[in-house]
Amino acid sequence: MSTPPPATTPRLSARGLRKTFGSTTALAGVDVDLADGEALAVMGPSGSGKSTLLHCLAGILRPDTGSVRLRGQEVASLGERDRSLLRRRSYGFVFQFGQLLSELPAQENVALPSMLLGTPRAEAVALARQWLGALGLAGMEDRRPGELSGGQAQRVAVARALITGPDVVFADEPTGALDQATGAEVMRILTETTHAAGASLVVVTHESSVAEWCSRRIEMRDGSIVATSGVPR
């Protein structure tokens, strides 16, 4: 009789997450695991709790009760200073509208997270230029966000999310401001580059076409996970 392989410890794990805002229950006791290198889509209608779940997993919000662990380290109970440092070191973020700094060129937008961790400017910018080149933006390093297309700006955001070598990248509606073809290209780049960099990925979306780029999806309703499909890859 063969011995089953040992269970793999999740990279990111949440247990019993509850979060309320006044009389509204945003999370009603959510359990979720994220494996090494996994791309997980979190789906559901507006008000289902998917963004609140992302914010709790990412240490932006503290749940009222429950635990969040990154590589076994408790996250939810950390103070604001320590959670802020954790977000800088271990997490990357891609938002719907990029949230790039309009006054900075692409290479400095990408370099900024690395500089905030103490990397000398010249070294951080050189690394940023490498990331921009790898994402098809060679020659655009000095362009400001207003001089880039929506798809190009999201590639800059992906490079910025990955420059520090994060454990997990969180993407909140990353294609919401893009047309379908551009959105598909951004999702291809996002999933391929995060996987190649050894990062896990959490994507919040209401679009099935976006979720299809992920290896697993969960469906949320009224603050609870009501369905799950797919397997980590």
Side-chain angles (χ1 to χ4, degrees), residues 93 95 97-116 121 124-129 131-132 137 140-148 152-164:
F93 297 90
F95 301 100
F97 297 104
Q99 295 191 0
L100 302 176
L101 297 178
S102 60
E103 68 274 17
L104 295 181
Q107 62 184 13
E108 292 190 16
N109 265 288
V110 175
L112 188 58
S114 187
M115 288 190 288
L116 288 173
R121 182 183 181 281
V125 169
L127 182 57
R129 292 177 69 88
W131 271 107
L132 290 171
L137 296 175
M140 301 184 187
E141 296 88 351
D142 292 321
R143 294 189 186 183
R144 286 172 170 74
E147 300 171 315
L148 299 169
Q152 289 167 345
Q154 283 299 72
R155 292 189 191 199
V156 173
V158 171
R160 180 184 61 184
L162 289 169
I163 192 171
T164 60

Side-chain angles (χ1 to χ4, degrees), residues 11 32 38 40 45 100 129 189 195 212 226 232-233:
R11 178 169 296 191
V32 65
E38 179 181 10
L40 173 68
L100 302 176
R129 292 177 69 88
I189 290 170
H195 183 75
E212 287 173 357
V226 296
R233 64 169 182 254

Side-chain angles (χ1 to χ4, degrees), residues 133-229:
L135 295 183
L137 296 175
M140 301 184 187
E141 296 88 351
D142 292 321
R143 294 189 186 183
R144 286 172 170 74
E147 300 171 315
L148 299 169
S149 69
Q152 289 167 345
Q154 283 299 72
R155 292 189 191 199
V156 173
V158 171
R160 180 184 61 184
L162 289 169
I163 192 171
T164 60
D167 286 305
V168 183
V169 172
F170 295 94
D172 194 352
E173 299 285 2
T175 67
L178 306 175
D179 61 66
Q180 187 172 2
T182 305
E185 179 63 9
V186 166
M187 283 305 301
R188 181 189 68 79
I189 290 170
L190 178 61
T191 53
E192 289 182 358
T193 54
T194 52
H195 183 75
S200 299
L201 174 65
V202 178
V203 180
V204 163
T205 182
H206 64 276
E207 298 181 24
S208 294
S209 60
V210 172
E212 287 173 357
W213 287 93
C214 298
S215 53
R216 187 164 62 96
R217 72 174 71 180
I218 59 176
E219 299 268 355
M220 297 193 68
R221 295 287 188 282
D222 301 322
S224 298
I225 295 175
V226 296
T228 182
S229 60

Side-chain angles (χ1 to χ4, degrees), residues 4-177:
T8 302
T9 302
R11 178 169 296 191
L12 184 66
S13 180
R15 291 292 179 269
L17 294 186
R18 294 183 179 273
K19 184 69 179 178
T20 60
F21 299 97
S23 61
T24 301
T25 298
L27 297 177
V30 173
D31 298 341
V32 65
D33 291 327
L34 183 69
D36 288 346
E38 179 181 10
L40 173 68
V42 182
M43 301 191 70
S46 178
S48 63
K50 58 186 187 295
S51 290
T52 302
L53 175 59
L54 181 148
H55 291 158
C56 287
L57 293 175
I60 296 171
L61 289 176
R62 296 178 72 173
D64 298 331
T65 60
S67 66
V68 178
R69 293 182 178 275
L70 174 67
R71 296 189 181 276
Q73 177 190 5
E74 175 60 43
V75 174
S77 63
L78 294 175
E80 179 56 40
R81 180 180 178 277
D82 288 336
R83 282 187 290 122
S84 178
L85 184 59
L86 179 82
R87 289 194 298 269
R88 291 182 184 180
R89 285 179 173 170
S90 301
Y91 294 154
F93 297 90
V94 179
F95 301 100
Q96 180 173 349
F97 297 104
Q99 295 191 0
L100 302 176
L101 297 178
S102 60
E103 68 274 17
L104 295 181
Q107 62 184 13
E108 292 190 16
N109 265 288
V110 175
L112 188 58
S114 187
M115 288 190 288
L116 288 173
L117 289 175
T119 303
R121 182 183 181 281
E123 182 180 337
V125 169
L127 182 57
R129 292 177 69 88
Q130 291 178 24
W131 271 107
L132 290 171
L135 295 183
L137 296 175
M140 301 184 187
E141 296 88 351
D142 292 321
R143 294 189 186 183
R144 286 172 170 74
E147 300 171 315
L148 299 169
S149 69
Q152 289 167 345
Q154 283 299 72
R155 292 189 191 199
V156 173
V158 171
R160 180 184 61 184
L162 289 169
I163 192 171
T164 60
D167 286 305
V168 183
V169 172
F170 295 94
D172 194 352
E173 299 285 2
T175 67

